[in-house]
Amino acid sequence: MRRPALRNAEGTPVDPVPVLVVVALAFMVAVSIGPIYGQAYGLSLAASLAVSGGAFLLTAVGAYRWLVRDARPAVAGEVDPADRFATLVYLALVLLALFVGLTLPLL
């Protein structure tokens, strides 16, 4: 069975698996955790579901833009270790801020 090929802005085929994984994980987190924390922050169930749905849609659009439309498979190569480490540090800071934000309603 042949996988349908997604194409970037230049028309080059791009692997669809990374964007599908990101979108599936975003849906899982948004639907399972979002409404609970929305209600913990004082939102109604409908508002919590709306915010979770909006967060999922923003993540899905961002993943498509980053992993499909703006992907450049021809120029993909090895990344400098210093750049990889800086990216890991920034991601760790974002995750720390996210975890602190998620624990605030529990205090």
Side-chain angles (χ1 to χ4, degrees):
M1 182 174 187
R2 189 174 162 266
R3 281 190 307 194
L6 296 176
R7 299 192 177 274
N8 64 7
E10 297 172 350
T12 306
V14 177
D15 186 20
V17 173
V19 73
L20 292 175
V21 168
V22 170
V23 169
L25 286 173
F27 180 77
M28 179 187 69
V29 170
V31 170
S32 64
I33 295 175
I36 296 169
Y37 276 98
Q39 289 179 327
Y41 276 114
L43 296 174
S44 67
L45 178 61
S48 297
L49 287 171
V51 169
S52 296
F56 164 68
L57 287 176
L58 284 175
T59 304
V61 168
Y64 177 80
R65 287 189 64 174
W66 183 34
L67 297 171
V68 176
R69 194 185 83 177
D70 295 338
R72 303 287 182 257
V75 296
E78 190 171 325
V79 179
D80 183 42
D83 291 339
R84 284 189 302 204
F85 181 72
T87 302
L88 284 175
V89 169
Y90 293 141
L91 287 174
L93 291 173
V94 167
L95 282 175
L96 177 67
L98 179 68
F99 289 148
V100 167
L102 289 174
T103 58
L104 286 178
L106 304 175
L107 296 177

